Amino acid sequence: MSRRRRRLAAVLAAFLAGALLLAGCGAAGAPPNLAPQVTAHRPLPANAQVNPEIDNEGAVNDDCGNPTASLRPKGIATPRGSTMAEIKRRGILRVGVDQNTFLFGFRNPATGNLEGFDIAVASEIATALFGDPNRVRFKAITSQQRIDVLRDGTVDVVVRTMTINCERRELIEFSSVYFVAGQRVLVTKRSGYTGLADLAGKKVCATTGSTSLSNIASAASGPVPVAVDNWSDCLVLLQQGQVEAISTDDTILAGMAQQDPATHVVGPKFTSEPYGVGIPKEDTDMVRYVNAVLAKFRKSTWQAVYDRWIEPALGPGTPPEPTYK
Ligand code: GLU
């Protein structure tokens, strides 16, 4: 036998001895101590809450007449000392938007840019102020942060699928209506659910601080609201089977149904959600200015923006008529 073969034989012999020893161990004596078995806990997204307390922004007056009646436009002059002049002096418009809602405010993964209907509205305001749609600094915010970033001056305006209502009007101003959505329900196709009425005692997801969450909590059929920070968190929870449905504006749900063809939108629209641009309460000059921009937008690019983002999902649409006080 060569030296090499002898060494190999020795190694094999040692291996065999070890294997026999192990087999011997398994065959007799105390059974191995198995690791305790527990059911794996599926993680929830950060800040997710099942059946949360719903804060309605400390509303004292939820009957303010027609909440969509806004201040009459006064043209697009930017007089000295105005909010608009201050923004022009700064050289950039700061806008609170969503970056997780396909079709309204989302990041295009190919370009890294924010796109969607709300982003187009923000660009219209920047174009009016600067003659340049790109003079915008976007700040991605959650539903819950919309009012705070306006009140603490972090942004000049919020364009983020934001429903105009009396509670919010107590804390901020709104432009005229630029879009009207309505709340519906998204479920997986194989679930067979046909609407909120089928979801008694079942978990239904919406974002904290949205009208959608309050509407789920007060629905007659008694679904269990699940609150998260972002609409994309709701979609993940539905895909994981951690909630049975998502309920929010048809616009947002249409985007999710396009992202996940195993889901679909069911049931009728059961609310009206008129979207407005959120503006700090004291900036009434900015409200009139944005309303002048929107008046022009409705007659010019509104249709093209709608047809690009919304028409394929929701069918033909026309711009909503503004109402003024
Ligand atoms: N339009 C509803 C709202 O303003 C839901 C949309 C959202 O929160 O993004 O509360």
Side-chain angles (χ1 to χ4, degrees):
M1 226 189 249
S2 74
R3 251 176 84 192
R4 240 172 94 205
R5 291 192 111 192
R6 241 180 291 138
R7 204 181 300 146
L8 188 67
V11 168
L12 271 176
F15 178 76
L16 264 175
L20 282 173
L21 209 83
L22 277 178
C25 270
N33 195 4
L34 294 173
Q37 286 195 7
V38 288
T39 333
H41 214 71
R42 278 180 297 182
L44 284 170
N47 304 325
Q49 273 183 291
V50 178
N51 222 343
E53 267 229 21
I54 291 166
D55 173 15
N56 63 352
E57 315 283 4
V60 284
N61 171 19
D62 55 11
D63 182 15
C64 61
N66 176 3
T68 66
S70 185
L71 296 171
R72 206 163 277 284
K74 248 199 205 151
I76 54 159
T78 57
R80 205 149 16 130
S82 65
T83 307
M84 298 75 80
E86 172 62 23
I87 297 168
K88 283 179 95 162
R89 197 193 51 77
R90 188 199 302 132
I92 201 128
L93 176 72
R94 302 166 309 165
V95 188
V97 294
D98 197 349
Q99 63 172 353
N100 299 296
T101 295
F102 185 48
L103 308 181
F104 270 79
F106 69 100
R107 214 168 268 285
N108 179 334
T111 60
N113 293 332
L114 287 161
E115 292 184 2
F117 198 102
D118 282 342
I119 306 301
V121 172
S123 304
E124 289 287 328
I125 305 171
T127 303
L129 284 165
F130 299 106
D132 178 355
N134 298 317
R135 293 276 277 271
V136 180
R137 186 183 304 136
F138 291 113
K139 181 164 176 63
I141 53 166
T142 62
S143 298
Q144 174 77 348
Q145 290 168 327
R146 291 177 291 201
I147 289 178
D148 292 345
V149 294
L150 286 168
R151 287 179 26 117
D152 68 16
T154 307
V155 298
D156 302 309
V157 292
V158 161
V159 194
R160 197 196 167 287
T161 57
M162 188 167 194
T163 298
I164 305 169
N165 63 28
C166 292
E167 289 99 294
R168 292 174 178 169
R169 270 224 109 98
E170 299 227 319
L171 304 168
I172 59 164
E173 266 291 348
F174 282 104
S175 73
S176 58
V177 184
Y178 65 86
F179 198 99
V180 183
Q183 187 164 346
R184 295 185 69 190
V185 176
L186 183 87
V187 294
T188 62
K189 286 178 181 162
R190 66 190 178 91
S191 70
Y193 294 124
T194 60
L196 214 49
D198 296 345
L199 290 154
K202 306 280 191 229
K203 289 182 182 162
V204 180
C205 189
T207 57
T208 303
S210 65
T211 53
S212 324
L213 188 71
S214 317
N215 295 333
I216 296 168
S218 60
S221 62
V224 178
V226 174
V228 292
D229 282 344
N230 293 297
W231 291 113
S232 48
D233 296 329
C234 278
L235 185 57
V236 171
L237 287 180
L238 181 69
Q239 289 167 332
Q240 291 177 337
Q242 298 213 69
V243 299
E244 295 294 312
I246 304 168
S247 183
T248 183
D249 304 344
D250 55 347
T251 44
I252 298 174
L253 297 180
M256 293 184 187
Q258 284 193 10
Q259 289 175 304
D260 185 344
T263 67
H264 65 172
V265 181
V266 293
K269 273 192 209 179
F270 57 93
T271 67
S272 172
E273 310 289 333
Y275 292 171
V277 177
I279 299 170
K281 207 166 175 67
E282 58 283 7
D283 296 348
T284 50
D285 53 356
M286 189 66 179
V287 177
R288 292 186 195 278
Y289 184 86
V290 170
N291 284 348
V293 174
L294 290 178
K296 189 167 154 254
F297 175 54
R298 285 189 199 87
K299 293 203 192 83
S300 55
T301 41
W302 191 98
Q303 198 66 56
V305 174
Y306 182 92
D307 291 349
R308 172 163 186 209
W309 296 113
I310 315 300
E311 197 273 341
L314 296 181
T318 50
E321 279 302 316
T323 46
Y324 301 115
K325 352 190 194 212

